[in-house]
Amino acid sequence: MSTALPAPERSRRIPVAFALITAATLALTACGSGGAADTTGGAAPAGRSGTIPTADVVSPVQKDAAAARLLPPDVRARGTLRVAASVGGTPPGAFYREDGRTVVGQDIDFADAVAKVLGLRLKREAASFEAILPALGSGKYELGTGNFGVTDERRRTIDFVTYINDGQGFAVREDSGLKKITHLEQLCGLNVATGAGTTFEVTLEDNKHVCEEAGKEPYSVKTYAEPGAVWPALRQGRADVVMSTINGLRYAVHQQEGLRFLGEYRRLDVGFAFKKGTKLAPAFRAAVNRLIEDGTYDRILKKWGTRGSAIEASRISPPEIKD
């Protein structure tokens, strides 16, 4: 299932979308589920000449009456949910097709499949990543999607329902001397590009002291509101290394010549985001677990080449993964 943004939002974002798709010869249109096995245990994206996967894994999903009964009565009665989606230039999460208006991706498929299980229609709007969590607290939206990692800090104000396990990693140009990042001290003296308002930004800012303690020049954190903008920064030399999601990095370096994935730094659960104290969480957890049971869950992961991010069961706001 694909999604077109509401008209006002489309007109505002189309130029940005095309810029992200074309900048620095990014090939955001290649992926598939039939490639060689990747190191996460899933299927790697298809070659750079491939196309965006179009398998319809959502339409066959049926409503589950037991899960739907867990919805708050007012939500069940109106049958709609207001959703804020972070849509950047970073497949496989959520991104624009070539038309600059149709939204596709793993996050989109999961949200749409859960909605079908619950008998809901999503009223989706694109929003910047860093604006979504505050907007949930204000009541502007009831649900946020955007590969939100579950952290203890976020759990203070946000409820989560997990659906994958992703995490943090690094990528560089092929000419970089970096081989694998196991400690942030290895970044000292470098420019690090990452998304604004992300767990990556928090991790980097909170650990700048490691360079001072080692007597080294601090690293500089370069943040970008549009996730896809980190890649032109890296390719054009404004950044030495990119910190982003494990799945997003694997996908990006597979599609772009001259880039290299440096491996995983740490893992995090990823979940649908809600205002703290939401009554929607039990229904969403039941819906995700239903998708796991009926095989839809695996079909979505296979479509996007992310089987290594599978979870055994959905949970509500689990503690942050610390190892």
Side-chain angles (χ1 to χ4, degrees):
M1 179 183 295
S2 60
T3 305
L5 294 175
E9 194 65 27
R10 289 201 306 268
S11 62
R12 181 174 67 83
R13 294 183 65 91
I14 285 175
V16 174
F18 279 122
L20 295 181
I21 290 172
T22 59
T25 66
L26 297 185
L28 299 183
T29 59
C31 183
S33 59
D38 67 17
T39 57
T40 67
R48 291 182 173 88
S49 61
T51 58
I52 296 173
T54 58
D56 182 1
V57 292
V58 175
S59 291
V61 175
Q62 299 295 311
K63 179 178 178 178
D64 182 276
R69 280 196 296 271
L70 297 175
L71 288 168
D74 61 324
V75 175
R76 192 166 62 245
R78 73 170 185 262
T80 62
L81 209 63
R82 302 186 305 277
V83 182
S86 174
V87 184
T90 54
F95 59 104
Y96 293 96
R97 290 188 64 89
E98 298 92 327
D99 62 9
R101 64 186 291 273
T102 305
V103 180
V104 294
Q106 176 176 264
D107 288 344
I108 304 303
D109 281 348
F110 272 122
D112 288 346
V114 166
K116 291 206 68 174
V117 171
L118 298 176
L120 296 175
R121 181 171 61 86
L122 302 182
K123 300 177 67 175
R124 181 180 282 119
E125 293 184 19
S128 62
F129 182 92
E130 68 273 21
I132 292 178
L133 298 187
L136 293 172
S138 71
K140 182 177 181 180
Y141 302 106
E142 297 165 288
L143 166 65
T145 64
N147 206 85
F148 288 106
V150 181
T151 67
D152 291 339
E153 176 66 27
R154 286 176 172 170
R155 289 195 307 137
R156 294 190 178 100
T157 56
I158 297 293
D159 281 339
F160 294 94
V161 173
T162 61
Y163 60 96
I164 60 170
N165 176 271
D166 194 350
Q168 303 177 340
F170 295 92
V172 293
R173 295 183 303 275
E174 283 285 3
D175 61 4
S176 173
L178 291 170
K179 302 302 180 185
K180 183 176 178 63
I181 301 294
T182 57
H183 193 280
L184 295 185
E185 184 182 328
Q186 295 170 262
L187 300 176
C188 296
L190 302 179
N191 292 321
V192 187
T194 195
T198 61
T199 59
F200 320 115
E201 181 184 9
V202 172
T203 297
L204 291 167
E205 294 292 350
D206 285 352
N207 288 278
K208 278 187 171 180
H209 60 87
V210 300
C211 296
E212 180 181 357
E213 292 168 358
K216 298 181 179 180
E217 181 184 352
Y219 54 75
S220 177
V221 182
K222 308 293 185 182
T223 59
Y224 297 85
E226 293 291 344
V230 301
W231 298 111
L234 180 64
R235 296 182 70 94
Q236 295 167 13
R238 298 192 304 277
D240 301 297
V241 57
V242 165
M243 187 178 190
S244 189
T245 69
I246 294 167
N247 287 336
L249 292 171
R250 288 185 185 279
Y251 192 110
V253 301
H254 191 84
Q255 309 309 321
Q256 302 177 61
E257 297 283 358
L259 301 182
R260 180 161 42 88
F261 177 54
L262 294 186
E264 300 179 7
Y265 178 68
R266 63 176 298 210
R267 281 274 175 172
L268 283 174
D269 287 317
V270 172
F272 297 110
F274 306 86
K275 180 179 180 178
K276 190 70 176 179
T278 182
K279 296 181 180 180
L280 292 166
F284 268 71
R285 178 179 58 184
V288 174
N289 287 334
R290 170 61 187 273
L291 295 174
I292 293 173
E293 292 167 5
D294 71 15
T296 301
Y297 182 84
D298 184 65
R299 286 189 286 274
I300 293 175
L301 294 180
K302 182 179 179 182
K303 173 181 176 179
W304 297 105
T306 56
R307 276 175 151 172
S309 284
I311 59 175
E312 293 184 359
S314 177
R315 296 188 292 169
I316 298 175
S317 297
E320 178 180 349
I321 298 174
K322 297 293 187 179
D323 25 64

PDB file of all heavy atoms in Angstrom, residues 76-100:
ATOM      1  N   ARG A  76     -12.522   3.794  18.242  1.00  0.00           N
ATOM      2  CA  ARG A  76     -13.201   2.718  17.514  1.00  0.00           C
ATOM      3  C   ARG A  76     -14.438   3.247  16.800  1.00  0.00           C
ATOM      4  O   ARG A  76     -14.733   2.849  15.664  1.00  0.00           O
ATOM      5  CB  ARG A  76     -13.582   1.606  18.494  1.00  0.00           C
ATOM      6  CG  ARG A  76     -14.034   0.327  17.819  1.00  0.00           C
ATOM      7  CD  ARG A  76     -14.064  -0.846  18.787  1.00  0.00           C
ATOM      8  NE  ARG A  76     -15.015  -0.631  19.868  1.00  0.00           N
ATOM      9  CZ  ARG A  76     -14.689  -0.496  21.141  1.00  0.00           C
ATOM     10  NH1 ARG A  76     -13.406  -0.532  21.505  1.00  0.00           N
ATOM     11  NH2 ARG A  76     -15.606  -0.326  22.073  1.00  0.00           N
ATOM     12  N   ALA A  77     -15.131   4.193  17.419  1.00  0.00           N
ATOM     13  CA  ALA A  77     -16.353   4.727  16.822  1.00  0.00           C
ATOM     14  C   ALA A  77     -16.071   5.580  15.592  1.00  0.00           C
ATOM     15  O   ALA A  77     -16.762   5.469  14.576  1.00  0.00           O
ATOM     16  CB  ALA A  77     -17.124   5.543  17.855  1.00  0.00           C
ATOM     17  N   ARG A  78     -15.053   6.432  15.672  1.00  0.00           N
ATOM     18  CA  ARG A  78     -14.785   7.296  14.514  1.00  0.00           C
ATOM     19  C   ARG A  78     -13.982   6.591  13.435  1.00  0.00           C
ATOM     20  O   ARG A  78     -14.006   6.968  12.264  1.00  0.00           O
ATOM     21  CB  ARG A  78     -14.083   8.573  14.963  1.00  0.00           C
ATOM     22  CG  ARG A  78     -12.631   8.457  15.379  1.00  0.00           C
ATOM     23  CD  ARG A  78     -11.994   9.839  15.567  1.00  0.00           C
ATOM     24  NE  ARG A  78     -10.588   9.754  15.848  1.00  0.00           N
ATOM     25  CZ  ARG A  78     -10.048   9.810  17.064  1.00  0.00           C
ATOM     26  NH1 ARG A  78     -10.837   9.950  18.125  1.00  0.00           N
ATOM     27  NH2 ARG A  78      -8.735   9.732  17.215  1.00  0.00           N
ATOM     28  N   GLY A  79     -13.196   5.578  13.797  1.00  0.00           N
ATOM     29  CA  GLY A  79     -12.502   4.767  12.811  1.00  0.00           C
ATOM     30  C   GLY A  79     -11.292   5.399  12.155  1.00  0.00           C
ATOM     31  O   GLY A  79     -10.793   4.891  11.147  1.00  0.00           O
ATOM     32  N   THR A  80     -10.796   6.504  12.702  1.00  0.00           N
ATOM     33  CA  THR A  80      -9.623   7.167  12.136  1.00  0.00           C
ATOM     34  C   THR A  80      -8.614   7.476  13.232  1.00  0.00           C
ATOM     35  O   THR A  80      -8.954   7.528  14.415  1.00  0.00           O
ATOM     36  CB  THR A  80     -10.001   8.478  11.422  1.00  0.00           C
ATOM     37  OG1 THR A  80     -10.584   9.387  12.376  1.00  0.00           O
ATOM     38  CG2 THR A  80     -10.962   8.225  10.281  1.00  0.00           C
ATOM     39  N   LEU A  81      -7.371   7.723  12.795  1.00  0.00           N
ATOM     40  CA  LEU A  81      -6.307   8.065  13.727  1.00  0.00           C
ATOM     41  C   LEU A  81      -5.395   9.095  13.059  1.00  0.00           C
ATOM     42  O   LEU A  81      -5.008   8.939  11.903  1.00  0.00           O
ATOM     43  CB  LEU A  81      -5.507   6.808  14.087  1.00  0.00           C
ATOM     44  CG  LEU A  81      -4.835   6.759  15.454  1.00  0.00           C
ATOM     45  CD1 LEU A  81      -5.872   6.806  16.573  1.00  0.00           C
ATOM     46  CD2 LEU A  81      -4.002   5.483  15.571  1.00  0.00           C
ATOM     47  N   ARG A  82      -5.045  10.143  13.800  1.00  0.00           N
ATOM     48  CA  ARG A  82      -4.169  11.191  13.275  1.00  0.00           C
ATOM     49  C   ARG A  82      -2.710  10.765  13.473  1.00  0.00           C
ATOM     50  O   ARG A  82      -2.260  10.549  14.594  1.00  0.00           O
ATOM     51  CB  ARG A  82      -4.426  12.518  13.981  1.00  0.00           C
ATOM     52  CG  ARG A  82      -5.864  13.008  13.865  1.00  0.00           C
ATOM     53  CD  ARG A  82      -6.040  14.412  14.453  1.00  0.00           C
ATOM     54  NE  ARG A  82      -5.572  14.504  15.837  1.00  0.00           N
ATOM     55  CZ  ARG A  82      -6.278  14.146  16.902  1.00  0.00           C
ATOM     56  NH1 ARG A  82      -7.498  13.641  16.735  1.00  0.00           N
ATOM     57  NH2 ARG A  82      -5.791  14.266  18.124  1.00  0.00           N
ATOM     58  N   VAL A  83      -1.984  10.682  12.352  1.00  0.00           N
ATOM     59  CA  VAL A  83      -0.618  10.151  12.382  1.00  0.00           C
ATOM     60  C   VAL A  83       0.366  11.172  11.835  1.00  0.00           C
ATOM     61  O   VAL A  83       0.143  11.756  10.773  1.00  0.00           O
ATOM     62  CB  VAL A  83      -0.512   8.862  11.542  1.00  0.00           C
ATOM     63  CG1 VAL A  83       0.899   8.290  11.621  1.00  0.00           C
ATOM     64  CG2 VAL A  83      -1.540   7.850  12.000  1.00  0.00           C
ATOM     65  N   ALA A  84       1.468  11.369  12.556  1.00  0.00           N
ATOM     66  CA  ALA A  84       2.585  12.175  12.065  1.00  0.00           C
ATOM     67  C   ALA A  84       3.683  11.224  11.629  1.00  0.00           C
ATOM     68  O   ALA A  84       4.128  10.370  12.413  1.00  0.00           O
ATOM     69  CB  ALA A  84       3.090  13.105  13.153  1.00  0.00           C
ATOM     70  N   ALA A  85       4.124  11.341  10.388  1.00  0.00           N
ATOM     71  CA  ALA A  85       5.141  10.439   9.845  1.00  0.00           C
ATOM     72  C   ALA A  85       6.387  11.212   9.452  1.00  0.00           C
ATOM     73  O   ALA A  85       6.302  12.223   8.751  1.00  0.00           O
ATOM     74  CB  ALA A  85       4.589   9.688   8.632  1.00  0.00           C
ATOM     75  N   SER A  86       7.520  10.737   9.907  1.00  0.00           N
ATOM     76  CA  SER A  86       8.791  11.299   9.450  1.00  0.00           C
ATOM     77  C   SER A  86       9.137  10.638   8.123  1.00  0.00           C
ATOM     78  O   SER A  86       9.338   9.425   8.050  1.00  0.00           O
ATOM     79  CB  SER A  86       9.889  11.017  10.480  1.00  0.00           C
ATOM     80  OG  SER A  86      11.146  11.426   9.998  1.00  0.00           O
ATOM     81  N   VAL A  87       9.157  11.435   7.076  1.00  0.00           N
ATOM     82  CA  VAL A  87       9.399  10.916   5.725  1.00  0.00           C
ATOM     83  C   VAL A  87      10.620  11.610   5.158  1.00  0.00           C
ATOM     84  O   VAL A  87      10.565  12.764   4.755  1.00  0.00           O
ATOM     85  CB  VAL A  87       8.187  11.157   4.809  1.00  0.00           C
ATOM     86  CG1 VAL A  87       8.424  10.512   3.448  1.00  0.00           C
ATOM     87  CG2 VAL A  87       6.917  10.637   5.444  1.00  0.00           C
ATOM     88  N   GLY A  88      11.749  10.926   5.158  1.00  0.00           N
ATOM     89  CA  GLY A  88      12.974  11.538   4.661  1.00  0.00           C
ATOM     90  C   GLY A  88      13.503  10.827   3.445  1.00  0.00           C
ATOM     91  O   GLY A  88      12.810  10.038   2.809  1.00  0.00           O
ATOM     92  N   GLY A  89      14.757  11.064   3.148  1.00  0.00           N
ATOM     93  CA  GLY A  89      15.378  10.417   2.010  1.00  0.00           C
ATOM     94  C   GLY A  89      16.161   9.199   2.432  1.00  0.00           C
ATOM     95  O   GLY A  89      17.212   8.922   1.881  1.00  0.00           O
ATOM     96  N   THR A  90      15.684   8.482   3.447  1.00  0.00           N
ATOM     97  CA  THR A  90      16.464   7.371   3.987  1.00  0.00           C
ATOM     98  C   THR A  90      15.663   6.069   3.986  1.00  0.00           C
ATOM     99  O   THR A  90      15.099   5.686   5.008  1.00  0.00           O
ATOM    100  CB  THR A  90      16.923   7.673   5.423  1.00  0.00           C
ATOM    101  OG1 THR A  90      15.773   8.018   6.202  1.00  0.00           O
ATOM    102  CG2 THR A  90      17.905   8.825   5.455  1.00  0.00           C
ATOM    103  N   PRO A  91      15.574   5.389   2.854  1.00  0.00           N
ATOM    104  CA  PRO A  91      14.981   4.058   2.841  1.00  0.00           C
ATOM    105  C   PRO A  91      15.780   3.135   3.775  1.00  0.00           C
ATOM    106  O   PRO A  91      16.948   3.413   4.039  1.00  0.00           O
ATOM    107  CB  PRO A  91      15.144   3.629   1.386  1.00  0.00           C
ATOM    108  CG  PRO A  91      15.356   4.896   0.630  1.00  0.00           C
ATOM    109  CD  PRO A  91      16.094   5.800   1.553  1.00  0.00           C
ATOM    110  N   PRO A  92      15.194   2.063   4.273  1.00  0.00           N
ATOM    111  CA  PRO A  92      13.875   1.563   3.912  1.00  0.00           C
ATOM    112  C   PRO A  92      12.746   2.035   4.819  1.00  0.00           C
ATOM    113  O   PRO A  92      11.643   1.526   4.725  1.00  0.00           O
ATOM    114  CB  PRO A  92      14.066   0.051   4.048  1.00  0.00           C
ATOM    115  CG  PRO A  92      15.000  -0.075   5.224  1.00  0.00           C
ATOM    116  CD  PRO A  92      15.961   1.085   5.078  1.00  0.00           C
ATOM    117  N   GLY A  93      12.991   2.997   5.708  1.00  0.00           N
ATOM    118  CA  GLY A  93      11.972   3.396   6.680  1.00  0.00           C
ATOM    119  C   GLY A  93      10.734   4.018   6.077  1.00  0.00           C
ATOM    120  O   GLY A  93       9.657   3.423   6.047  1.00  0.00           O
ATOM    121  N   ALA A  94      10.861   5.254   5.606  1.00  0.00           N
ATOM    122  CA  ALA A  94       9.744   5.956   4.958  1.00  0.00           C
ATOM    123  C   ALA A  94      10.335   6.999   4.035  1.00  0.00           C
ATOM    124  O   ALA A  94      11.132   7.840   4.463  1.00  0.00           O
ATOM    125  CB  ALA A  94       8.833   6.606   6.001  1.00  0.00           C
ATOM    126  N   PHE A  95       9.953   6.953   2.767  1.00  0.00           N
ATOM    127  CA  PHE A  95      10.527   7.872   1.792  1.00  0.00           C
ATOM    128  C   PHE A  95       9.551   8.073   0.641  1.00  0.00           C
ATOM    129  O   PHE A  95       8.519   7.397   0.556  1.00  0.00           O
ATOM    130  CB  PHE A  95      11.877   7.345   1.276  1.00  0.00           C
ATOM    131  CG  PHE A  95      11.826   5.992   0.627  1.00  0.00           C
ATOM    132  CD1 PHE A  95      11.895   5.857  -0.747  1.00  0.00           C
ATOM    133  CD2 PHE A  95      11.727   4.833   1.401  1.00  0.00           C
ATOM    134  CE1 PHE A  95      11.854   4.601  -1.357  1.00  0.00           C
ATOM    135  CE2 PHE A  95      11.689   3.575   0.805  1.00  0.00           C
ATOM    136  CZ  PHE A  95      11.751   3.462  -0.569  1.00  0.00           C
ATOM    137  N   TYR A  96       9.865   9.016  -0.231  1.00  0.00           N
ATOM    138  CA  TYR A  96       8.996   9.337  -1.362  1.00  0.00           C
ATOM    139  C   TYR A  96       9.381   8.538  -2.602  1.00  0.00           C
ATOM    140  O   TYR A  96      10.572   8.344  -2.882  1.00  0.00           O
ATOM    141  CB  TYR A  96       9.085  10.829  -1.707  1.00  0.00           C
ATOM    142  CG  TYR A  96       8.536  11.743  -0.653  1.00  0.00           C
ATOM    143  CD1 TYR A  96       9.377  12.325   0.291  1.00  0.00           C
ATOM    144  CD2 TYR A  96       7.177  12.045  -0.601  1.00  0.00           C
ATOM    145  CE1 TYR A  96       8.879  13.181   1.265  1.00  0.00           C
ATOM    146  CE2 TYR A  96       6.669  12.898   0.365  1.00  0.00           C
ATOM    147  CZ  TYR A  96       7.520  13.456   1.292  1.00  0.00           C
ATOM    148  OH  TYR A  96       7.035  14.293   2.253  1.00  0.00           O
ATOM    149  N   ARG A  97       8.382   8.118  -3.337  1.00  0.00           N
ATOM    150  CA  ARG A  97       8.635   7.546  -4.657  1.00  0.00           C
ATOM    151  C   ARG A  97       9.081   8.657  -5.604  1.00  0.00           C
ATOM    152  O   ARG A  97       9.149   9.824  -5.223  1.00  0.00           O
ATOM    153  CB  ARG A  97       7.379   6.857  -5.195  1.00  0.00           C
ATOM    154  CG  ARG A  97       7.015   5.572  -4.437  1.00  0.00           C
ATOM    155  CD  ARG A  97       5.882   4.840  -5.129  1.00  0.00           C
ATOM    156  NE  ARG A  97       6.289   4.390  -6.457  1.00  0.00           N
ATOM    157  CZ  ARG A  97       6.867   3.225  -6.703  1.00  0.00           C
ATOM    158  NH1 ARG A  97       7.115   2.385  -5.714  1.00  0.00           N
ATOM    159  NH2 ARG A  97       7.198   2.885  -7.919  1.00  0.00           N
ATOM    160  N   GLU A  98       9.360   8.275  -6.846  1.00  0.00           N
ATOM    161  CA  GLU A  98       9.886   9.231  -7.814  1.00  0.00           C
ATOM    162  C   GLU A  98       8.955  10.406  -8.068  1.00  0.00           C
ATOM    163  O   GLU A  98       9.389  11.471  -8.507  1.00  0.00           O
ATOM    164  CB  GLU A  98      10.183   8.528  -9.145  1.00  0.00           C
ATOM    165  CG  GLU A  98      11.236   7.428  -9.050  1.00  0.00           C
ATOM    166  CD  GLU A  98      10.617   6.069  -8.802  1.00  0.00           C
ATOM    167  OE1 GLU A  98       9.578   5.998  -8.112  1.00  0.00           O
ATOM    168  OE2 GLU A  98      11.174   5.076  -9.313  1.00  0.00           O
ATOM    169  N   ASP A  99       7.644  10.243  -7.800  1.00  0.00           N
ATOM    170  CA  ASP A  99       6.713  11.337  -8.050  1.00  0.00           C
ATOM    171  C   ASP A  99       6.802  12.427  -6.997  1.00  0.00           C
ATOM    172  O   ASP A  99       6.175  13.483  -7.121  1.00  0.00           O
ATOM    173  CB  ASP A  99       5.271  10.812  -8.158  1.00  0.00           C
ATOM    174  CG  ASP A  99       4.777  10.141  -6.876  1.00  0.00           C
ATOM    175  OD1 ASP A  99       5.471  10.209  -5.840  1.00  0.00           O
ATOM    176  OD2 ASP A  99       3.685   9.539  -6.915  1.00  0.00           O
ATOM    177  N   GLY A 100       7.570  12.199  -5.917  1.00  0.00           N
ATOM    178  CA  GLY A 100       7.742  13.220  -4.898  1.00  0.00           C
ATOM    179  C   GLY A 100       6.541  13.406  -3.992  1.00  0.00           C
ATOM    180  O   GLY A 100       6.535  14.327  -3.163  1.00  0.00           O
TER     181      GLY A 100
END
